[in-house]
Amino acid sequence: MDPVRNPYAPGAGQRPPELAGRDRELQQFEVVLERVARGRPERSMIVTGLRGVGKTVLLNTFRSMAMQRLWGTGKIEARPDQSIRRPVASALHMAVRELAPRHRAPDRIEEFLGVLKAFAQAGPEDKSGKARVHRWSPGIDVPAARGRADSGDLEIDLTELFVDAASVATDVGSGIALFVDEMQDIPADDVSALCAACHELSQSGGPLIVVGAGLPHLPAVLSASKSYSERLFRYARIDRLDRESADLALLAPAEREEVTFTPDALDALYSAADGYPYFVQAYAKVVWDVAPGTPITAEDIRVAAPEAESELAVGFFGSRYERATPAERDYMRAMAQLGDEPVATSSVAQELGRKPSSLSPARDGLIKKGLVFSAERGLVAFTVPHFGKFLRAQPA
Ligand SMILES: Nc1ncnc2c1ncn2[C@@H]1O[C@H](COP(=O)(O)OP(=O)(O)O)[C@@H](O)[C@H]1O
Ligand SMILES: [Mg+2]
């Protein structure tokens, strides 16, 4: 059918034509926003799940919901080895700019921007030793203030910055939401500073929330950092879509184009995509282009499957596999041989005929690259659904 009218959207962070099966999370976030707006004590939300289940898309939807309520919003994507100081400064700059036009006292905004600038510039020397050569200033044309949020200690500085940002939001009768994607990648020291700042803020009741998304082990990362983080955040684990939601994800966009699927076709698609949102979009995209007309049939799915699979093999699986070193690839192949459940690191070592300790660098490298996570102490699992199956299908 006409590829121009193809509604499906495979791709990281791509907004799906129909956000299926996430009503509960949307409702929960609605409650969070409403309670924070009313100054009620509220835990913030953190969305976790495997790659391709729709965390980024959900986080972006949360952001739109906050914007609709005229909150100030900003978003960062955490990276390993990168301090969150500057990204957070940019994100809060953006959030406060959204609120500024409604503020009655422009000098309060200027005051905040001065603190923000000082915060951004107070980071420790960078690793190259070229300290403050490029004194980064995020396009803020006020002088940096002194004596607030600029101690160089991220925990103190973030806390002060959050309190000040929250008070700007209070002035305009609104809130600020800071979104953090790939939250598991925040360096350990910064995670602890961020939790501490959220903790302080939750006690003062200021209308600023940090909303996160990350891999399934994120709750463990946060509790290891600060034991009280369990009480700070409400965790929403998202997963594959159930049958009804997966059908809705396919049918709703098609029906807006006056196209439908036969029941057999829906069966075939559910068994191929296994309910994983990324796979649902990927198969549907190819099937649409291949199908001669409506309704889309099981035969169309059969014809489209090889192309959909090869696109996934390149774009979804292959692009990640490429990032691994030879030793890391061996490690993952051994994991794949052991099945699709989380596997014991000791079994991986046995499979490879190696000492467990000698494999730590490979395992840690894979965790850092976000290909593998530690599901529980001593267990590892793929962050990418069906990754084991993909590896087993590769020539050795
Ligand atoms: N609820 C949903 N219904 C239908 N498709 C979805 C849904 N959530 C995500 N998708 C699709 O899944 C893919 C992956 O979404 P993304 O948010 O990037 O996942 P993650 O951040 O968890 O890796 C995108 O192509 C997106 O359009
Ligand atoms: Mg994502």
Side-chain angles (χ1 to χ4, degrees):
M1 287 180 293
D2 182 3
V4 174
R5 286 169 52 221
N6 192 328
Y8 301 105
Q14 288 284 320
R15 194 159 74 129
E18 178 79 19
L19 184 72
R22 301 292 181 233
D23 293 348
R24 196 183 52 201
E25 291 77 15
L26 295 177
Q27 225 161 26
Q28 279 176 355
F29 192 65
E30 210 45 91
V31 171
V32 169
L33 288 174
E34 189 63 43
R35 286 182 59 88
V36 173
R38 295 184 187 192
R40 300 271 175 174
E42 181 57 25
R43 296 186 294 166
S44 187
M45 262 178 86
I46 291 195
V47 177
T48 66
L50 297 175
R51 299 213 178 272
V53 292
K55 301 178 295 296
T56 299
V57 156
L58 194 55
L59 207 60
N60 291 342
T61 308
F62 288 169
R63 186 176 183 186
S64 307
M65 288 162 69
M67 287 168 94
Q68 255 165 23
R69 287 176 174 251
L70 302 178
W71 281 39
T73 66
K75 186 178 164 192
I76 73 170
E77 189 179 311
R79 300 220 172 86
D81 304 322
Q82 187 195 62
S83 170
I84 60 170
R85 184 180 284 268
R86 287 175 181 182
V88 165
S90 304
L92 283 183
H93 185 207
M94 176 167 269
V96 167
R97 270 178 22 176
E98 285 165 8
L99 300 179
R102 304 204 304 279
H103 204 289
R104 286 206 211 94
D107 47 323
R108 285 272 295 128
I109 299 288
E110 292 219 341
E111 210 177 293
F112 175 76
L113 292 179
V115 171
L116 183 67
K117 192 168 186 175
F119 170 85
Q121 293 177 345
E125 305 189 359
D126 69 29
K127 291 201 181 86
S128 61
K130 288 192 213 119
R132 317 223 176 149
V133 173
H134 333 267
R135 284 182 70 108
W136 179 78
S137 84
I140 299 177
D141 51 2
V142 302
R146 281 275 165 81
R148 204 157 161 76
D150 63 351
S151 73
D153 177 324
L154 188 63
E155 178 168 332
I156 296 170
D157 294 354
L158 260 184
T159 303
E160 293 180 348
L161 186 72
F162 280 0
V163 167
D164 286 11
S167 102
V168 169
T170 303
D171 292 346
V172 296
S174 177
I176 289 179
L178 173 65
F179 296 91
V180 182
D181 204 356
E182 304 292 353
M183 194 169 182
Q184 75 285 338
D185 282 342
I186 300 181
D189 289 349
D190 287 23
V191 160
S192 136
L194 184 62
C195 288
C198 290
H199 189 48
E200 272 298 309
L201 200 72
S202 72
Q203 289 166 357
S204 72
L208 186 152
I209 50 171
V210 173
V211 187
L215 293 173
H217 65 298
L218 177 57
V221 168
L222 297 179
S223 342
S225 172
K226 295 280 187 208
S227 54
Y228 53 69
S229 67
E230 277 156 54
R231 278 164 283 139
L232 220 47
F233 302 110
R234 182 190 307 280
Y235 294 111
R237 166 100 193 225
I238 62 170
D239 211 329
R240 315 157 27 173
L241 301 174
D242 60 21
R243 174 65 196 260
E244 204 184 326
S245 303
D247 287 357
L248 181 69
L250 293 163
L251 283 168
E255 282 170 357
R256 290 193 280 269
E257 301 291 336
E258 284 157 10
V259 167
T260 192
F261 291 75
T262 66
D264 284 358
L266 292 173
D267 287 346
L269 273 170
Y270 196 72
S271 75
D274 202 21
Y276 284 106
Y278 195 108
F279 301 158
V280 169
Q281 300 295 332
Y283 277 93
K285 176 88 192 264
V286 176
V287 165
W288 176 285
D289 288 352
V290 160
T294 181
I296 293 171
T297 65
E299 175 60 12
D300 299 333
I301 315 294
R302 208 186 52 75
V303 174
E307 188 183 330
E309 277 151 29
S310 79
E311 276 178 20
L312 283 169
V314 175
F316 192 66
F317 299 117
S319 64
R320 296 195 157 79
Y321 186 66
E322 300 289 305
R323 288 185 221 153
T325 64
E328 291 165 354
R329 290 180 188 181
D330 290 345
Y331 194 96
M332 290 195 291
R333 283 174 185 279
M335 279 175 67
Q337 288 312 316
L338 293 164
D340 293 317
E341 296 298 310
V343 297
T345 49
S346 55
S347 315
V348 178
Q350 213 164 35
E351 175 79 18
L352 288 167
R354 301 266 305 269
K355 276 217 214 80
S357 58
S358 72
L359 293 171
S360 302
R363 190 204 53 206
D364 293 351
L366 287 168
I367 291 177
K368 201 160 177 182
K369 288 176 183 162
L371 283 153
V372 156
F373 69 102
S374 170
E376 251 175 72
R377 228 186 134 70
L379 292 185
V380 281
F382 291 118
T383 61
V384 179
H386 291 191
F387 204 63
K389 196 169 124 194
F390 162 76
L391 290 176
R392 288 191 296 272
Q394 298 302 299

